[in-house]
Amino acid sequence: MLKSMTGFGRAEQTVGEKTFLVEIKALNGKQLELQLKLPPLLRPYEFEIRNTLQENLVRGTIDCFINIKQNGTTKPVNINTDLIKAYYRQIEELAGELKIDTNSVLSALLRLPEVVTPTNDVLNETDFTEFNKVLISALNNLNLHRTEEGAGLEKDLIKRIDKIKEQEEAILLLEPNRKKRIVDEINQLLEKNVGKENIDNNRMEQELIYYMEKIDIHEEQIRLRQHCEYFKSILQEPEEGKGKKLSFILQEIGREINTTGSKAYDADIQKCVVKMKDELEKAKEQVLNAL
């Protein structure tokens, strides 16, 4: 099953006095580009979190937002009591000189620099194990979204490849008449400019064989058919990260289509080539979204 590179996953769970929230957004990208926003409690685990994201997301432009809400009485701050006492002594001395009341000074003290600081605590191993479950749940939701979008993507790509094959089959029917028309046109041109009685038939036959080999598109059509079948077989493979491989195959398909067009010398075949190129460009646009 093909997966899309775009998707969104979210998971939230409360464990004890902490609520873990993980949101992951994935967009197109040639490689894995990860933007990770972590709260201070998870900084020591950043390497493990990045590894988990990389293993599950393969590639794409990823924005991952993680937040931990502190519930109950536990708050992620420290109050520097020694510093606040030092501030208060100076304020009390100044208030005595100015005869100012200090009864409501505490709220002002708490706003002074370095009095209240974020805690340096980190998440313990038990809580991190619980958080990791939330992270995996968000990743599963994102991958489910990718799979759902990928199903529509795969259906459209098969449609484009089938239309290319239809035009290849149409070219196969046009090919015999194309060769006959080219030979007739060459004979008429020679008879008109050289004269029928002056044509060396043996030499003429040799030159025609050489020329027809140069403009023969039989091998291109065989390779085109094989590339199309290979493309569809890759779609059915269970492995992830098939987008790059599919893109390479489309390049090969395009090469055979272009060669067919350059050798055709036939208006009807050129029309088929134009239709194939149109479907190929649509397929290329869709493959850019494939994981």
Side-chain angles (χ1 to χ4, degrees):
M1 177 66 71
L2 188 66
K3 282 186 177 180
S4 170
M5 262 194 288
T6 59
F8 179 79
R10 185 182 189 277
E12 183 174 359
Q13 184 177 343
T14 299
V15 180
E17 295 181 340
K18 297 179 179 66
T19 298
F20 301 116
L21 171 65
V22 180
E23 293 181 344
I24 310 172
K25 180 176 68 174
L27 299 172
N28 298 348
K30 291 183 178 181
Q31 307 296 331
L32 181 65
E33 299 178 15
L34 178 59
Q35 297 293 328
L36 179 60
K37 295 181 181 179
L38 289 174
L41 285 173
L42 283 171
R43 289 296 178 194
Y45 301 100
E46 182 174 354
F47 184 74
E48 291 94 324
I49 294 170
R50 284 185 177 274
N51 278 346
T52 301
L53 291 168
Q54 289 170 4
E55 289 170 3
N56 285 271
L57 298 176
V58 184
R59 70 188 182 109
T61 302
I62 312 297
D63 285 320
C64 180
F65 171 78
I66 299 172
N67 189 31
I68 300 178
K69 300 175 184 176
Q70 298 280 356
N71 306 315
T73 57
T74 304
K75 301 296 180 183
V77 296
N78 285 326
I79 297 178
N80 191 331
T81 55
D82 291 335
L83 182 61
I84 201 170
K85 288 176 183 178
Y87 277 137
Y88 181 74
R89 283 193 294 270
Q90 295 182 52
I91 290 174
E92 189 177 35
E93 182 181 344
L94 181 62
E97 294 178 5
L98 299 176
K99 296 182 174 53
I100 299 174
D101 185 15
T102 60
N103 290 334
S104 59
V105 75
L106 182 60
S107 61
L109 286 171
L110 291 173
R111 291 194 294 271
L112 290 173
E114 305 300 324
V115 171
V116 180
T117 58
T119 182
N120 292 323
D121 291 343
V122 299
L123 214 61
N124 60 47
E125 291 292 336
T126 302
D127 284 345
F128 179 70
T129 300
E130 295 300 320
F131 160 77
N132 210 44
K133 294 178 182 177
V134 180
L135 177 62
I136 295 297
S137 178
L139 285 167
N140 289 339
N141 290 335
L142 183 144
N143 280 321
L144 178 61
H145 193 183
R146 278 181 158 187
T147 301
E148 290 172 351
E149 286 200 3
L153 190 60
E154 180 176 330
K155 184 178 179 181
D156 187 77
L157 285 170
I158 291 174
K159 176 183 174 183
R160 303 300 171 194
I161 295 299
D162 285 342
K163 286 189 175 182
I164 290 174
K165 289 179 65 180
E166 286 175 8
Q167 296 305 316
E168 184 273 325
E169 291 169 1
I171 290 174
L172 192 63
L173 296 175
L174 293 168
E175 174 64 359
N177 288 334
R178 177 186 81 107
K179 287 184 176 180
K180 183 178 182 304
R181 178 186 57 78
I182 291 174
V183 170
D184 290 342
E185 287 178 355
I186 292 173
N187 281 324
Q188 291 173 11
L189 186 64
L190 286 172
E191 288 177 8
K192 180 179 179 181
N193 292 279
V194 179
K196 187 174 183 180
E197 66 282 357
N198 297 322
I199 297 175
D200 184 338
N201 290 325
N202 290 330
R203 177 65 184 276
M204 174 66 176
E205 185 177 349
Q206 292 175 2
E207 293 294 337
L208 277 176
I209 291 173
Y210 175 77
Y211 181 71
M212 296 309 292
E213 286 178 349
K214 294 287 287 183
I215 64 170
D216 183 68
I217 58 174
H218 179 67
E219 290 185 6
E220 284 76 9
Q221 295 306 290
I222 291 175
R223 287 194 294 267
L224 176 57
R225 197 178 311 123
Q226 291 172 341
H227 292 329
C228 288
E229 292 300 329
Y230 183 43
F231 186 94
K232 293 174 74 173
S233 70
I234 294 296
L235 286 175
Q236 303 307 314
E237 292 181 357
E239 67 179 66
E240 291 188 358
K242 297 180 284 190
K244 287 184 178 179
K245 187 183 292 185
L246 294 173
S247 180
F248 295 148
I249 300 171
L250 288 179
Q251 289 179 23
E252 294 301 314
I253 289 174
R255 185 172 289 110
E256 303 305 333
I257 292 173
N258 288 333
T259 306
T260 298
S262 65
K263 287 184 175 183
Y265 298 106
D266 183 274
D268 291 330
I269 291 180
Q270 289 290 0
K271 290 177 183 178
C272 295
V273 167
V274 169
K275 290 178 182 178
M276 285 194 289
K277 286 184 176 182
D278 182 46
E279 297 300 331
L280 178 66
E281 289 305 311
K282 292 175 182 177
K284 285 182 176 180
E285 289 176 8
Q286 292 288 50
V287 162
L288 290 176
N289 299 318
L291 182 62

